[in-house]
């Protein structure tokens, strides 16, 4: 629906701070402010082909111009399918991120690397990045990687992670990054599903002063991946104790010097796949979310440019990992497509102490800082003294991502980090959306603490009644969030499973993309994302599926059955609780609980470990055998008075036992 001022009252919201403009080096990217946003937004909704066609011509470099901006022409999801964008056009992602800037300005910093240990980083210019990307592209070609092949990436946050991604897309191949906190088992599953034959990793990783034996995890995973031909290993720590498989394992530094500093990019068509990124959904099996090339690039480019108001000389610090979509779009692609400088930070916000982020901002004069609320909660709790003694006056935009940001955390961010002079942008989006879909435009949109505010260009959000699917029109409504029309950076499919893509996103509510989130539109038209309505929990901004954790638990030989639910946690947003019934009585339940936690850490990764394990003799089930997780959630929240009718359960008496066990253990 077009937006107009009549339906968007702004009495209870906050203006873009004046300090944003005082700190601004020139003209904001939407100079006409709110009125211009409304005009552009309405154009983008009424005629997406024209709007995005023009933007794609203006901001992307094409080897072959596209003929049609959208297929099928028109608008909306037609016949239950999604759309394709920029037909017959050819381009290369690494050319758009690197070459075109390196050709003009080779000495400009592309990457500022902040190593885990302070003062051990370095800067990589666009010119240097181009050489490295070209050389690694040739290494990959030598290893037999061809257009359309997938390459698995399991790397820490070092500049070489960016080089790797761009080298892969330079030869038209597909990167499949696996967050380096995932276990060997999770890595194995992703390598097998994507059929990757080459893995790029490091000897070890460093985080918060701790060593992680990255390559050993890869070796473990590869025991069950017979098709992997080579492992390219970046030397991060130089440990002398590195297991090595002759013929398979190759050192990055030995391979890279064999090649000349330039090789031409392999152009691909707009709709050719640029990457896969696995994410959790309602079932135990992670989905390989598949993104296109041109549409994805345009989404990352435009949101970085407009939401964060990135100017050519800006320095963006996205404190997210390249293993998640935030790292893909706002550490790698968005900043580089705009020719800006991106900060690659290897460490944690708490090492060597809680002022690490602010040291980095101060030292490098960061202009846009972007992080998940979970880190802000930690830093707020640590105390304002860590922020106060830093010069943070370079910051114009403070972004938030991954989970709702509570009002008091928003206020803290605004006051202590932004000092009232930065625009707070709470950005709502998903792995599947590729780039921000609901977010304030810096310097333009009014904001309310906790609301992601208004849709980005080309996004037509609707609130639906969860049960009937009926669209809830007007303001002051609450339901599930869906999008009425396709946009360029949305995922194209689930790898090798278009049917699953349709089932998950396009079929639940016919004619819409279903986000899986609940949301409200308040009396002034602001959007508030309320959290997942499916079996996904968001722990410290990491997206986890309860079903996946249940499948991990069942690997332990004592586990009969389990049900995993999320529950609110002050620090991590949500935490994981696992209700487990064991196959037999045990003498030492505390020991078993420890083992179960270890099992999840081993099967998925440390970040998925349950905070709470509750051993019960049975789980509440319907007569058809379905576990009633709703009851477990309520008991955990202490809402046992509002369990509703439990007499329809096949085993209603178990509820009393669960309530008393939770009271005792939780
Ligand atoms: C949640 C992360 C509230 C949401 C970019 C979504 C948010 C899921 C916000 C996607 C926000 C993301 N406010 N909730 N600003 N941003 N979410 O795929 O539940 O890791 O569906 O992408 O995070 O997580 P994903």
């Amino acid at each position: 629906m077009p937006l107009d001022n009549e339906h968007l009252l702004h009495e209870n919201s906050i203006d873009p701070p004046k300090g944003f403009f005082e700190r601004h080096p020139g003209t904001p990217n939407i100079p006409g402010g709110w009125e211009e946003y409304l005009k552009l937004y309405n154009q983008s909704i009424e005629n997406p082909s024209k709007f995005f066609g023009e933007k794609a011509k203006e901001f992307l470099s094409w080897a072959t111009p596209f003929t049609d901006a959208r297929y099928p022409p028109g608008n909306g999801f037609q016949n239950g399918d999604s759309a394709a964008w920029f037909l017959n056009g050819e381009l290369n992602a690494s050319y758009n991120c690197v070459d075109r800037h390196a050709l003009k300005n080779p000495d400009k910093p592309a990457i500022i690397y902040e190593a885990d240990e302070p003062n051990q980083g370095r800067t990589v210019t666009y010119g240097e990045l181009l050489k490295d990307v070209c050389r690694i592209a040739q290494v990959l070609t030598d290893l037999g990687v061809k257009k359309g092949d997938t390459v698995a990436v399991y790397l820490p946050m070092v500049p070489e992670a960016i080089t790797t991604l761009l080298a892969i897309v330079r030869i038209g191949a597909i990167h499949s990054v696996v967050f380096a906190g995932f276990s060997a088992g999770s890595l194995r599953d992703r390598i097998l599903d994507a059929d990757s034959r080459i893995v790029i990793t490091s000897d070890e990783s460093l985080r918060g002063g701790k060593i992680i034996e990255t390559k050993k995890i890869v070796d473990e995973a590869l025991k069950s991946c017979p098709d992997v031909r080579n492992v390219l290993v970046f030397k991060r720590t130089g440990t002398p104790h590195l297991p090595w498989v002759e013929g398979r394992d190759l050192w990055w530094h030995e391979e890279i010097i064999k090649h000349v500093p330039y090789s031409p990019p392999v152009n691909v068509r707009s709709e050719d796949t640029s990457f896969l990124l696995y994410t959790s959904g309602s079932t135990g099996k992670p989905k390989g979310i598949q993104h296109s090339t041109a549409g994805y690039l345009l989404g990352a480019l435009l949101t970085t440019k407009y939401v964060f108001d990135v100017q050519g000389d800006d320095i963006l610090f996205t404190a997210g990992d390249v293993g998640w979509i935030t790292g893909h779009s706002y550490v790698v692609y968005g900043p580089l497509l705009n020719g800006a400088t991106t900060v690659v930070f290897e460490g944690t916000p708490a090492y060597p102490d809680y002022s690490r982020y602010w040291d980095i901002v101060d030292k490098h004069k960061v202009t846009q800082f972007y992080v998940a609320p979970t880190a802000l909660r930690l830093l707020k709790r640590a105390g304002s003294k860590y922020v106060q003694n830093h010069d943070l006056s370079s910051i114009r935009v403070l972004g938030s991502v991954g989970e709702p940001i509570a009002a008091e955390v928003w206020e803290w961010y605004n006051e202590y980090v932004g000092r009232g002079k930065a625009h707070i942008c709470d950005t709502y989006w998903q792995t599947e959306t590729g780039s921000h879909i609901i977010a304030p435009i810096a310097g333009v949109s009014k904001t309310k603490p906790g609301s992601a505010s208004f849709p980005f260009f080309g996004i037509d959000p609707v609130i639906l009644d969860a049960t009937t699917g009926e669209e809830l029109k007007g303001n002051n409504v609450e339901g599930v969030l869906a999008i009425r029309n396709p946009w360029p950076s949305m995922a194209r499919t689930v790898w090798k499973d278009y049917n699953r893509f349709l089932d998950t996103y396009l079929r639940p509510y016919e004619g819409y993309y279903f986000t899986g989130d609940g949301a409200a539109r308040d009396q002034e038209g602001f959007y508030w994302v309320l959290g997942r309505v499916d079996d996904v929990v968001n722990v410290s901004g990491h997206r986890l599926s309860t079903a996946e954790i249940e499948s991990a638990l069942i690997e332990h030989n004592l586990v009969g059955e389990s049900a995993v639910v999320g529950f609110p946690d002050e620090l991590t947003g949500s935490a994981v609780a696992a209700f487990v019934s064991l196959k037999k009585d045990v003498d030492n339940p505390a020991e078993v609980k420890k083992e179960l936690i270890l099992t999840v850490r081993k099967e998925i990764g440390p970040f998925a470990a349950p905070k709470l394990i509750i051993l019960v003799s049975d789980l509440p089930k319907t007569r058809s055998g379905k576990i009633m997780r709703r009851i477990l959630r309520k008991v955990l929240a202490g809402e046992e008075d509002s369990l509703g009718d439990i007499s329809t359960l096949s085993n209603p008496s178990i509820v009393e036992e669960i309530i008393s066990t939770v009271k005792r253990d939780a």
Side-chain angles (χ1 to χ4, degrees), residues 355 358 383-392 415-416 419:
S355 61
W358 322 126
S384 310
K385 65 172 196 263
Y386 293 104
V387 198
Q388 272 156 344
N389 299 330
H390 291 81
D391 176 6
L392 306 181
E415 189 179 332
Y416 287 93
R419 303 186 182 154

Side-chain angles (χ1 to χ4, degrees), residues 354-374:
Y354 292 106
S355 61
R356 188 66 195 275
Y357 282 163
W358 322 126
D359 288 340
I360 298 174
V361 169
D362 190 349
K363 181 164 142 203
H364 301 297
K365 302 296 160 220
V366 166
T367 44
Q368 283 86 0
F369 176 70
Y370 191 28
V371 79
T374 187

Side-chain angles (χ1 to χ4, degrees), residues 117-420:
E117 288 300 329
N119 303 317
Q120 289 193 358
R122 68 195 142 90
T123 298
V124 181
T125 64
Y126 272 98
E128 289 163 342
L129 182 60
L130 178 58
K131 289 186 196 173
D132 284 354
V133 168
C134 288
R135 288 184 163 127
I136 293 297
Q138 294 166 76
V139 172
L140 294 174
T141 302
D142 271 12
L143 296 179
V145 180
K146 297 199 174 52
K147 191 169 175 174
D149 290 349
T150 69
V151 177
V153 179
Y154 190 74
L155 275 171
M157 285 292 286
V158 288
E160 288 70 18
I162 295 193
T163 309
T164 296
L165 266 49
L166 296 175
I168 293 169
V169 292
R170 191 167 188 87
I171 58 172
I174 298 169
H175 54 75
S176 171
V177 182
V178 181
F179 172 57
F182 272 115
S183 67
S186 300
L187 174 61
R188 172 203 61 214
D189 292 348
R190 287 156 176 76
I191 291 173
L192 290 174
D193 189 74
D195 194 19
S196 304
R197 308 295 172 97
I198 305 290
V199 181
I200 305 185
T201 189
S202 64
D203 53 352
E204 294 182 321
S205 312
L206 277 174
R207 268 199 104 225
K210 292 199 193 84
I211 287 183
I212 301 148
E213 296 181 302
T214 313
K215 169 131 187 322
K216 279 198 186 150
I217 300 173
V218 173
D219 286 341
E220 178 66 29
L222 294 189
K223 283 184 186 158
S224 348
C225 302
D227 291 335
V228 169
R229 293 190 300 266
N230 293 103
V231 181
L232 187 62
V233 186
F234 171 69
K235 190 187 269 188
R236 172 63 187 90
T237 64
T239 169
H241 314 290
L242 197 69
W244 201 255
V245 178
E246 281 311 324
R248 184 196 73 181
D249 299 347
L250 302 163
W251 281 115
W252 170 291
H253 60 272
E254 286 176 5
E255 296 305 309
I256 196 168
I257 50 159
K258 294 181 184 163
H259 296 280
V260 295
Y262 181 80
S263 62
V266 174
N267 292 316
V268 302
R269 284 156 308 170
S270 301
E271 282 292 318
D272 280 342
T273 303
S274 62
F275 69 89
L276 307 182
L277 188 55
Y278 283 81
T279 192
S280 299
S282 293
T283 68
K285 193 170 173 280
K287 303 185 278 264
I289 298 297
Q290 181 175 324
H291 278 284
S292 70
T293 297
Y296 171 76
L297 292 178
L298 187 66
L301 188 153
L302 292 180
T303 49
T304 306
K305 188 177 192 70
Y306 294 125
V307 173
F308 292 158
D309 185 53
V310 164
Q311 310 287 313
D313 286 330
D314 277 350
I315 297 171
L316 272 82
F317 176 12
T318 295
D321 195 282
V322 75
W324 308 108
I325 192 68
T326 302
H328 281 62
S329 300
Y330 301 104
V331 176
V332 184
Y333 288 103
L336 298 182
L337 284 163
N338 282 284
T341 302
T342 187
V343 175
V344 170
F345 176 43
E346 189 175 26
T348 77
Y351 183 80
D353 67 30
Y354 292 106
S355 61
R356 188 66 195 275
Y357 282 163
W358 322 126
D359 288 340
I360 298 174
V361 169
D362 190 349
K363 181 164 142 203
H364 301 297
K365 302 296 160 220
V366 166
T367 44
Q368 283 86 0
F369 176 70
Y370 191 28
V371 79
T374 187
L376 298 174
R377 288 192 293 269
L378 179 82
L379 297 173
K380 177 171 179 284
R381 191 153 98 173
S384 310
K385 65 172 196 263
Y386 293 104
V387 198
Q388 272 156 344
N389 299 330
H390 291 81
D391 176 6
L392 306 181
S393 61
S394 53
I395 291 184
R396 299 202 308 279
V397 179
L398 289 173
S400 172
V401 58
E403 46 176 331
I405 177 167
E408 73 268 15
V409 178
W410 195 103
E411 302 285 4
W412 182 85
Y413 204 21
N414 186 36
E415 189 179 332
Y416 287 93
V417 184
R419 303 186 182 154

Side-chain angles (χ1 to χ4, degrees), residues 607-624:
F607 61 95
K611 186 167 179 192
L612 212 58
I613 303 253
I614 301 141
L615 299 179
V616 289
S617 63
D618 198 2
L619 296 164
K621 289 184 204 123
T622 60
R623 294 214 173 99
S624 59

